[in-house]
Amino acid sequence: MQLVFTEKHTPHVGLCIDVDKQLYTAQSRFQRIDIFESHEFGRLLTLDGVLMLTEKDEFIYHEMMVHVPLAVHPSAASVLIIGGGDGGTVRELCRYSCVEQVDLVEIDKDVVSVCREYLPTVACSLDDARVNIFYEDGLRFVRRCCDQYDVIIVDSTDPFGPGEGLFTKEFYGNCFKALKQDGILVNQHENPFYPEDALAVKRIHHRIVQSFPLSRLYQAHIPTYPSGHWLFGFSSKKYHPTQHIDEDRWKGYGITARYYNTNLHKAAFALPTYVEDIIKEVEDGEISRL
């Protein structure tokens, strides 16, 4: 008998992965959590039927979420992660000797416990002494913060369900307030290829640029994400993502990455024309009711 995990990316396009077996399934207070075993991509984590990560390509997403801001910020000691209960972003942050404190805010405690058990290579740093885990709503948590973090990483799910509040103008404004004077915000920014997702890209960027003086998009190729073309947002109070990268300092950390390098860092901000057009439409004020 052949088992297949299928995720629809549009009404007419989807991703199918042959799975050997289902290792875990349960309904948490917030969402359905499933772990599958596959030959091609290793173990898969899905939430409400949406693929969050696979063991084979998760390193691309997590490296680009972490190493881009850490190569720019000269002294990122305190970092806040909103979401990211799988632990991949924590793992990459804990590779930095300069990082003294990592606060992880995850609304669903079950996600963390399931990933500890079934995705140990991803969740391997959750017990690092520098990591503090808060099981609560990220929007509420960040409201209480002021001038506290060097970097905030919004490792959220898609803009619906439990993660919907992490895509609002209020949330990004609170992130601005929670950052120190030279703070950096990085967020996952969806894919720009399919029309409905491109609209989400516009909405997110429209809301972020109302709070931050500098906001740029960068990209990565992630095979199992919709269209394989994924965007990230880099927003800052002070630093430009390519003008202020310190390549020698980053290389001095001695971190061996599988996807990220400082040449790729600079190139990732060079976007295809169709993505530039999406950004221009927002920044020229043509999007007024997003």
Side-chain angles (χ1 to χ4, degrees):
M1 181 176 67
Q2 184 178 23
L3 301 175
V4 181
F5 167 78
T6 301
E7 179 189 352
K8 297 292 285 184
H9 292 168
T10 78
H12 310 289
V13 178
L15 172 71
C16 294
I17 300 175
D18 290 347
V19 298
D20 300 322
K21 56 184 172 180
Q22 186 175 37
L23 300 176
Y24 177 90
T25 182
Q27 179 70 40
S28 76
R29 178 184 168 193
F30 301 96
Q31 57 208 334
R32 175 175 167 171
I33 305 170
D34 289 282
I35 301 284
F36 300 96
E37 184 84 59
S38 77
H39 174 78
E40 189 68 39
F41 288 97
R43 293 184 176 180
L44 285 59
L45 167 68
T46 72
L47 300 179
D48 285 336
V50 177
L51 184 65
M52 294 292 109
L53 65 82
T54 79
E55 286 183 309
K56 186 170 184 177
D57 67 359
E58 56 84 11
F59 71 95
I60 304 171
Y61 175 88
H62 291 123
E63 287 185 10
M64 292 300 280
M65 286 286 276
V66 171
H67 300 318
V68 170
L70 269 289
V72 174
H73 199 291
S75 55
S78 59
V79 182
L80 171 65
I81 306 170
I82 305 290
D86 55 75
T89 299
V90 170
R91 180 195 63 202
E92 295 303 313
L93 281 170
C94 286
R95 301 173 74 183
Y96 286 86
S97 57
C98 65
V99 173
E100 300 172 1
Q101 174 186 348
V102 178
D103 290 345
L104 172 68
V105 181
E106 166 60 55
I107 196 170
D108 195 340
K109 188 174 185 177
D110 290 356
V111 169
V112 176
S113 61
V114 169
C115 291
R116 283 182 190 273
E117 181 174 356
Y118 292 97
L119 294 167
T121 61
V122 182
C124 57
S125 296
L126 288 173
D127 293 322
D128 189 288
R130 295 169 290 177
V131 178
N132 308 297
I133 303 178
F134 301 89
Y135 295 110
E136 60 180 286
D137 180 79
L139 181 58
R140 293 180 182 175
F141 183 94
V142 81
R143 281 178 186 152
R144 305 193 299 267
C145 304
C146 184
D147 192 27
Q148 190 170 338
Y149 295 102
D150 298 306
V151 175
I152 296 177
I153 298 175
V154 186
D155 184 1
S156 60
T157 56
D158 293 326
F160 51 82
E164 188 172 0
L166 305 182
F167 293 84
T168 62
K169 179 183 175 182
E170 177 198 358
F171 174 71
Y172 298 126
N174 285 328
C175 286
F176 182 90
K177 176 174 64 71
L179 286 166
K180 296 178 182 178
Q181 291 183 358
D182 61 348
I184 295 172
L185 170 73
V186 167
N187 64 292
Q188 73 91 352
H189 217 94
E190 299 294 308
N191 90 82
F193 188 76
Y194 297 123
E196 287 192 15
D197 297 322
L199 182 58
V201 170
K202 293 179 183 179
R203 287 191 178 118
I204 297 167
H205 192 59
H206 174 71
R207 292 164 185 171
I208 289 179
V209 296
Q210 294 179 68
S211 296
F212 284 83
L214 186 149
S215 186
R216 299 289 187 272
L217 300 188
Y218 62 102
Q219 61 188 343
H221 171 244
I222 306 175
T224 55
Y225 280 16
S227 82
H229 185 195
W230 207 252
L231 298 180
F232 303 83
F234 179 105
S235 304
S236 174
K237 294 185 175 184
K238 179 178 179 179
Y239 301 116
H240 189 283
T242 57
Q243 295 174 8
H244 291 118
I245 179 178
D246 189 332
E247 297 183 56
D248 291 336
R249 177 176 52 77
W250 189 83
K251 291 175 182 177
Y253 289 125
I255 294 172
T256 302
R258 295 173 61 199
Y259 188 86
Y260 177 87
N261 60 61
T262 53
N263 287 328
L264 177 73
H265 176 120
K266 292 173 284 189
F269 287 88
L271 301 172
T273 302
Y274 84 95
V275 181
E276 289 183 339
D277 289 343
I278 290 173
I279 300 168
K280 187 175 186 297
E281 191 175 347
V282 173
E283 295 182 348
D284 285 353
E286 296 176 23
I287 307 298
S288 59
R289 293 190 299 274
L290 291 178

